[in-house]
Structures are given as C-alpha cells and as structure tokens.
Amino acid sequence: MPKRAVLFTNRQPIPFLKINCLRNCKTYQARKPLWFYNTSLKFFLNKPMLADVVFEIQGTTVPAHRAILVARCEVMAAMFNGNYMEAKSVLIPVYGVSKETFLSFLEYLYTDSCCPAGIFQAMCLLICAEMYQVSRLQHICELFIITQLQSMPSRELASMNLDIVDLLKKAKFHHSDCLSTWLLHFIATNYLIFSQKPEFQDLSVEERSFVEKHRWPSNMYLKQLAEYRKYIHSRKCRCLVM
C-alpha cells in the first residue's frame, strides 16, 4: 500500500488526503507556500495599481499602499493613523534618503527580503531602517556588512576605498551597537592594515585606546618576532642532511 504524502506545518503533519477532502468547501483556499505570499506582494511594489499614497523623493514619485506599510512598519502606522498631515495627504515628501535606498526599504516591507548591492548600499539601507525603526531590517544590514568585510582578503582590505572609520561612526550614530562593536574589533585585529590609512587618525581617544589595547599583532608579539628573527640570522651553523 503506497504511503500517503504528508504536509508539514509548524504544529503537526497533515495528510494531503485530509486536505483534499476540503476542495468542495466554499471557504477552501488553494494551498500556497509562504514564499508565494511574500513574492506576490512584489507585483505591487512601485506600481500605481490600487496605490493610495505617493512618496516624493529627489524629484520623482514612488506609489505605495497604506495597508502594507501600516502592517509592516510601526512608524508608518502611527504616521498614517495619527494626527499628522501624512494621514490626510496623498503626496508625502521623503528626505534624508535616496530613491534607490527608499525603494530597497519598500521592497523589504513588501517582500520581507532585501539584497543590498554592496557595503555602502547596505549602510544607507540600515540608516533608513533606523529612521523608520524597522529593527529586523537593521540587523539584516548589519549582518550583510559584517559578512562582506569578513570575506575580504587582507590585500583587498588594504586597497579598498571604503572608509572603515566613517562606517564605524555612522553605525554608532544610528544605534547599530552590534555593528559598531564588531567594527572596532575588526579595526583592532587588522591593525597593520588600518593604522596605515589616513582615516585611522579620525578615531576618538576612547576608540584609539581600545584599538591599541586589543590590536593584532600586538607590540609584544612583534618584539618577540623581531628577537626570534635576529636569533635565527645570528646562527653560524648550517643545516646538515644525513
């Protein structure tokens, strides 16, 4: 006798045969995985169809849907339901972010996913997420930046144009404690690379003290390494092959 296929949910397995018997019920809805609902909302992203609010950014407009924004963002929920001009206005200006960053922010609200093009874009999105208090998106951007920096070889770190100290200061200013703490350790553990960069001088006294204390390689290690090399070069013996 063939085994019945089983659909797993968060609670317990449900046989497909039991679900199939509901097809004749008027309230039955077709089974669709969770990703379907997330991606289906993307069809409305930046589309005028059924849009009831328009954001004005850098001289261009971006249509959106209040119901989705209110459900996904507490700041926008308060903005559209409170005694603010946005609650009665259709055209809403947005300041402090670029159109590309705001579209990435809306994409997260509509689809629960985001894919920054790089570290700079991720930091811009993190700032936007902090502005609208979407903490999960902020943590996603933090993780993206950390992962990108961790995967870089030393040669690329030395040659990259990204100002790591500026990144640290922005993370602190926008309350990204996880990222700012990690960046400080990252600078310390790559001391020989970042100490040669001009922006290293922009570290605060407190930050500089932390980096010097936790730097790698440490001064003690470098001193011992120099002594060891001096000892090796001072030996007059040769290696004998038996």
Side-chain angles (χ1 to χ4, degrees):
M1 182 177 180
K3 295 181 179 179
R4 293 184 299 178
V6 174
L7 172 66
F8 290 94
T9 66
N10 291 332
R11 295 186 177 179
Q12 59 184 3
I14 302 176
F16 277 117
L17 295 181
K18 184 176 180 180
I19 294 178
N20 290 338
C21 71
L22 299 176
R23 288 187 181 278
N24 295 328
C25 180
K26 293 182 180 180
T27 60
Y28 172 76
Q29 295 182 352
R31 300 182 307 278
K32 293 182 177 65
L34 181 61
W35 60 262
F36 177 86
Y37 297 102
N38 290 340
T39 56
S40 62
L41 290 178
K42 192 172 184 177
F43 293 117
F44 295 97
L45 178 62
N46 197 22
K47 299 289 176 51
M49 182 174 59
L50 302 178
D52 54 1
V53 64
V54 176
F55 293 101
E56 186 178 22
I57 313 168
Q58 295 180 330
T60 60
T61 56
V62 177
H65 307 79
R66 291 176 190 259
I68 297 175
L69 303 179
V70 168
R72 296 281 289 151
C73 177
E74 292 183 2
V75 170
M76 288 194 175
M79 186 172 67
F80 289 130
N81 292 319
N83 295 322
Y84 302 101
M85 69 174 190
E86 289 87 355
K88 300 178 181 179
S89 178
V90 176
L91 185 64
I92 299 175
V94 175
Y95 305 103
V97 296
S98 66
K99 180 182 178 181
E100 291 74 18
T101 299
F102 194 74
L103 280 175
S104 297
F105 175 71
L106 289 181
E107 181 179 7
Y108 171 79
L109 297 184
Y110 276 67
T111 68
D112 198 45
S113 64
C114 68
C115 186
I119 294 175
F120 176 77
Q121 291 77 9
M123 178 53 75
C124 291
L125 186 56
L126 183 150
I127 294 172
C128 185
E130 192 266 340
M131 183 190 306
Y132 289 98
Q133 297 180 22
V134 183
S135 58
R136 182 171 179 269
L137 177 57
Q138 194 170 355
H139 294 324
I140 290 174
C141 293
E142 284 180 327
L143 181 60
F144 178 88
I145 294 171
I146 291 172
T147 303
Q148 290 292 306
L149 288 173
Q150 273 185 329
S151 64
M152 286 187 182
S154 299
R155 182 176 298 178
E156 188 173 350
L157 283 175
S159 61
M160 71 175 183
N161 294 324
L162 183 67
D163 188 338
I164 199 76
V165 176
D166 181 62
L167 207 63
L168 169 64
K169 293 187 179 300
K170 285 180 178 177
K172 282 190 172 184
F173 184 80
H174 294 283
H175 310 291
S176 294
D177 297 333
C178 176
L179 179 60
S180 61
T181 301
W182 185 89
L183 284 172
L184 206 53
H185 279 277
F186 187 66
I187 294 172
T189 53
N190 293 276
Y191 184 87
L192 294 182
I193 294 176
F194 293 117
S195 62
Q196 303 301 317
K197 292 179 175 288
E199 60 267 20
F200 186 79
Q201 305 302 321
D202 296 332
L203 289 170
S204 67
V205 175
E206 183 182 356
E207 292 165 348
R208 185 72 172 267
S209 176
F210 178 92
V211 170
E212 294 291 347
K213 181 179 179 180
H214 297 87
R215 57 171 285 183
W216 181 258
S218 64
N219 286 324
M220 180 62 70
Y221 173 83
L222 293 176
K223 181 180 178 181
Q224 292 176 348
L225 181 62
E227 291 176 352
Y228 175 74
R229 287 176 174 172
K230 183 179 180 181
Y231 167 74
I232 293 297
H233 289 298
S234 66
R235 296 182 63 182
K236 300 300 183 179
C237 60
R238 294 183 301 173
C239 178
L240 299 177
V241 179
M242 303 301 293

